[in-house]
Amino acid sequence: MKRCLISLLMLVAGVATAAEFDYGLRAQRIAGDVYAFIGKTEDFTPANGGNIVNTGFIVAPGGVIVIDSGPSRRYGEQMRQAIAAVSERAPVLVINTHLHPDHFLGNQAFAGVPLAALPATIEGIASQGNAFAENLFRLTGDWMKGTEVRVPQRALAAGTAEIAGRRLRLIALDGHTGADLAIYDVASGVLFAGDLAFFQRAPTTPHADVGRWLAALDQLAAITREAGFTALVPGHGPVTRDAAPLRQTRAWLTWLEGALRRSAGDGLDMNETLDRPLPSEFAALPVAANEYRRSVGHLFPAIEQEVLGAGR
Ligand SMILES: [Zn+2]
């Protein structure tokens, strides 16, 4: 009887744990065969388990093409189940848009499926992936249990490619990181912008080159004007039918760079720059204050050196 009770308690505890670590992934249909999982517009927390990112998939004639795999093994597994609820076709390729951990740590759940990324993304995941995973473990806790880095093996080249019977335009850009892949699905007109586009959430900049990022946004804007575009899936934030995420990301980056330059030009130090209030247009964006603080840390030292150097 006692043993029975213990088993029952363990069973209940097990169920409770499984429910606790449920990301609640539901595929949102963007166009015919194109879907996305939309994450929260928050920081990483133990409550959200790192589900602050958008991932997606395309049901192609030859199988499912997965675009980013989320922040943990658990997310990848639940994503795979949620994909299976939509299509019985097997995943045939997982593409990682860039080296940030919320975009690739679910790779492990796709054992046996080729993993692909731009060459610099592959190098970055190989060299820094473990450090990123440890950091995410620190920020989100047990959601990450059992998560290990799986480095993509297949290098993607820019250009139009036929993948699993689907024509994809692979757009190799950079600026958010050293290599940022955007994917334009020719049949549906859906653009997966990766983290080159944030919407209704302040952009992150730990590996950013703002000038290059703005140039990349120009290129994506040109595609939305010219290519029969129907929807844009940003790396973070809601899906749109227009190019608003590109405009909002551009506005934030332009303001951020200008504000840091003015600050340096005015002779303010880092703490004084941190104390500057955000304009109301940006203060209302989710996590704006935190991202501003982090961006000052990432970007201000170089801008300060440049501005002070120019003034000598
Ligand atoms: Zn990113």
Side-chain angles (χ1 to χ4, degrees):
M1 178 65 199
K2 199 174 174 190
R3 187 173 292 170
C4 239
L5 187 64
I6 289 169
S7 309
L8 186 67
L9 283 173
M10 282 174 70
L11 190 69
V12 170
V15 169
T17 306
E20 240 174 85
F21 294 113
D22 183 359
Y23 284 105
L25 299 180
R26 302 279 177 277
Q28 180 181 323
R29 192 177 196 181
I30 309 301
D33 299 323
V34 184
Y35 298 81
F37 299 102
I38 306 302
K40 297 186 165 74
T41 49
E42 300 174 356
D43 273 326
F44 294 118
T45 66
N48 63 37
N51 183 14
I52 62 159
V53 62
N54 297 341
T55 60
F57 65 97
I58 299 169
V59 181
V64 175
I65 302 162
V66 177
I67 299 173
D68 283 336
S69 60
S72 67
R73 173 185 183 155
R74 226 185 272 271
Y75 181 103
E77 288 167 352
Q78 292 176 22
M79 183 185 184
R80 204 166 172 168
Q81 283 173 9
I83 293 171
V86 170
S87 171
E88 57 196 20
R89 290 184 202 163
V92 288
L93 186 70
V94 177
I95 299 175
N96 297 139
T97 58
H98 65 295
L99 55 63
H100 284 157
D102 45 336
H103 297 262
F104 74 80
L105 281 172
N107 283 359
Q108 204 179 354
F110 294 90
V113 181
L115 309 171
L118 292 172
T121 302
I122 295 174
E123 282 169 34
I125 291 174
S127 60
Q128 300 172 71
N130 284 326
F132 291 155
E134 278 168 31
N135 192 41
L136 209 48
F137 208 118
R138 195 173 55 73
L139 294 170
T140 64
D142 282 349
W143 291 85
M144 292 282 296
K145 225 170 194 171
T147 300
E148 288 170 14
V149 174
R150 290 287 182 272
V151 181
Q153 321 84 349
R154 188 176 293 184
L156 294 173
T160 302
E162 183 100 4
I163 298 176
R166 192 91 170 187
R167 276 165 66 79
L168 298 183
R169 193 162 151 195
L170 304 174
I171 308 153
L173 298 166
D174 57 273
H176 171 66
T177 67
D180 297 291
L181 180 67
I183 299 165
Y184 175 74
D185 176 44
V186 175
S188 68
V190 175
L191 177 64
F192 285 89
D195 277 7
L196 290 168
F198 283 68
F199 192 50
Q200 311 301 19
R201 191 238 190 253
T204 64
T205 60
H207 303 97
D209 178 323
V210 173
R212 308 268 319 165
W213 193 340
L214 291 171
L217 288 169
D218 284 342
Q219 294 202 41
L220 292 183
I223 288 164
T224 64
R225 283 194 302 271
E226 294 155 14
F229 145 86
T230 58
L232 192 152
V233 184
H236 300 262
V239 174
T240 59
R241 299 288 163 186
D242 59 16
L246 304 181
R247 292 193 290 272
Q248 197 180 72
T249 305
R250 163 177 296 285
W252 171 275
L253 293 174
T254 305
W255 160 73
L256 178 66
E257 167 113 340
L260 299 189
R261 280 188 185 281
R262 274 194 304 282
S263 214
D266 292 347
L268 301 189
D269 66 16
M270 193 182 277
N271 282 328
E272 291 164 328
T273 304
L274 287 169
D275 285 343
R276 284 200 148 177
L278 271 63
S280 57
E281 177 191 359
F282 300 118
L285 278 184
V287 299
N290 287 349
E291 292 302 351
Y292 174 69
R293 290 190 68 81
R294 288 191 280 257
S295 290
V296 170
H298 303 144
L299 305 173
F300 189 68
I303 289 177
E304 190 181 33
Q305 270 207 334
E306 195 189 313
V307 169
L308 295 182
R312 271 189 201 121

